[in-house]
Amino acid sequence: MRKLQQDMDLTQILFSLMFILLMIVACFWVVQPFILGFAWAAMVVIATWPLMIKLQALLWGRRTLAIIAMTLILLLLFIIPVALLVNSLIDNTGPVVAWATSGNLHPPQLTWLNEVPLVGGKLYHSYHLLLDGGGGAVMTKVQPYIGRTTGFFVSQAGHFGRFLLHLGLMLLFSVLLYWRGEQVGDGIRHFAFRLAGRRGDASVLLAGQAIRAVALGVVVTALVQGVLGGIGLAVAGIPYATLLTVLMILFCLVQAGPLPVLIPAIIWLYWSGDTTWGTVLLVWSCVVGTLDNVLRPVLIRMGADLPMILILSGVIGGLVAFGMIGLFIGPVVLAVSYRLVSVWVHEAPMPQEDPEDVVEELAEHEEEVKNTTTTN
């Protein structure tokens, strides 16, 4: 009888587990179209929550007025500029792709090298010796890869309708989270505490810190540097300034800075003889290139310094996995995981024993086990 009861209990547990898993999969299936929009909204709300609380205090404690103000801020400073940027990117990449894949890509002649004092003539002669020795063949081999790389970024930017849909969902979910932010936060903390006790609650708080650190310290800094650099390129008359602005934002997200784009633009201006705008862009590039050293420490107030390889992996992996939205979500996901794993590892003290002693102790233990087995 007892064995029958145990079998019934095991069957009940299995069916209960199967039912719970089925419900979880069904819930994720239903909300799958909204997951990215909600994740983006959660990141934005967590990053800007202190600003919303300050606005609420300034607007006579009215949450409704604060939400309207935050919605307008998101529209004017984030959603509309990003949408226009992506739309302009799509419009301007057609000629670039056609140029990269047309077969008319040839190495430059660099005749201005002759004007460089002392070494200009030698540099020009050496450069053309390199071209005569196969530089054109090298460009012919490189050209298909340039076209594929450009086509990849264009295909990512081409999902404009889906991108606008996620922007709209992000704005809608942001309004809802602003309105019920305290209740949502308490509910998440309650679930985490029920799941893993105090460690689960601490994990949720650390995840919020990591999200704010990445959203403000990495993403906002990259957007500010990229947009300011793009303004400088447009004012200086550089062609395809919008496309180069997006490229600068990508470089800033991977912590390479805007200079890999700005420096060739400055060289091109001097090369074409426009020294005035070249000098203006040079000064502007010095300001934009060093802006992250001032802006990032101000934004990352909690001192959540993240490794560059983590941000690089998050940006590239997020772009491949989720498209353009992954540029923002990828680093956040890796940063949250990094902070949680780091806290879990540091709960235990660092080993203080000498490595050679540890190896010798392990060898002695293995020898004892071997002798015991042989004796038995």
Side-chain angles (χ1 to χ4, degrees), residues 5-240:
Q5 184 68 29
Q6 291 177 351
D7 292 339
M8 291 178 61
D9 291 340
L10 179 60
T11 304
Q12 181 182 7
I13 292 173
L14 288 176
F15 275 104
S16 299
L17 183 60
M18 289 174 60
F19 178 76
I20 292 172
L21 291 176
L22 181 62
M23 291 300 296
I24 292 174
V25 171
C27 289
F28 273 104
W29 195 3
V30 171
V31 302
Q32 181 183 4
F34 311 104
I35 290 177
L36 288 180
F38 184 81
W40 203 357
M43 184 188 73
V44 170
V45 171
I46 291 174
T48 58
W49 184 259
L51 176 61
M52 200 278 293
I53 296 299
K54 291 181 180 179
L55 285 177
Q56 181 178 342
L58 293 174
L59 297 173
W60 308 283
R62 300 289 298 273
R63 176 61 62 89
T64 304
L65 295 178
I67 293 175
I68 293 174
M70 289 302 302
T71 303
L72 292 176
I73 290 174
L74 289 179
L75 278 172
L76 295 176
L77 299 182
F78 185 73
I79 293 180
I80 293 178
V82 170
L84 292 176
L85 191 67
V86 175
N87 187 32
S88 181
L89 173 65
I90 296 173
D91 293 338
N92 289 321
T93 47
V96 176
V97 175
W99 170 75
T101 58
S102 63
N104 297 322
L105 188 62
H106 303 289
Q109 297 299 314
L110 301 184
T111 55
W112 56 272
L113 283 175
N114 286 318
E115 301 177 4
V116 178
L118 299 179
V119 297
K122 293 182 179 180
L123 289 176
Y124 180 79
H125 181 68
S126 301
Y127 176 72
H128 278 271
L129 282 178
L130 176 64
L131 294 185
D132 296 337
V138 171
M139 294 299 293
T140 303
K141 293 181 179 179
V142 169
Q143 178 184 333
Y145 298 98
I146 296 176
R148 293 174 189 173
T149 305
T150 309
F152 170 76
F153 285 105
V154 172
S155 65
Q156 294 297 324
H159 302 291
F160 187 53
R162 188 177 66 178
F163 186 76
L164 287 180
L165 175 63
H166 286 305
L167 280 178
L169 291 175
M170 186 271 286
L171 185 63
L172 175 62
F173 287 134
S174 297
V175 172
L176 297 177
L177 290 175
Y178 281 134
W179 182 256
R180 309 288 291 179
E182 292 87 355
Q183 291 83 350
V184 174
D186 292 340
I188 295 175
R189 290 185 62 186
H190 190 187
F191 177 79
F193 189 84
R194 181 67 179 86
L195 191 66
R198 291 178 59 86
R199 179 180 292 177
D201 188 23
S203 299
V204 171
L205 297 177
L206 288 173
Q209 291 181 0
I211 290 174
R212 189 171 291 123
V214 171
L216 295 179
V218 177
V219 178
V220 173
T221 303
L223 288 175
V224 170
Q225 281 189 290
V227 171
L228 290 179
I231 292 174
L233 293 177
V235 172
I238 301 296
Y240 303 113

Side-chain angles (χ1 to χ4, degrees), residues 329-357:
I329 296 179
V332 169
V333 172
L334 291 187
V336 170
S337 303
Y338 170 78
R339 289 296 304 276
L340 296 181
V341 172
S342 178
V343 170
W344 176 74
V345 169
H346 286 86
E347 286 182 355
M350 184 75 179
Q352 301 296 329
E353 298 179 81
D354 188 86
E356 295 182 358
D357 296 338

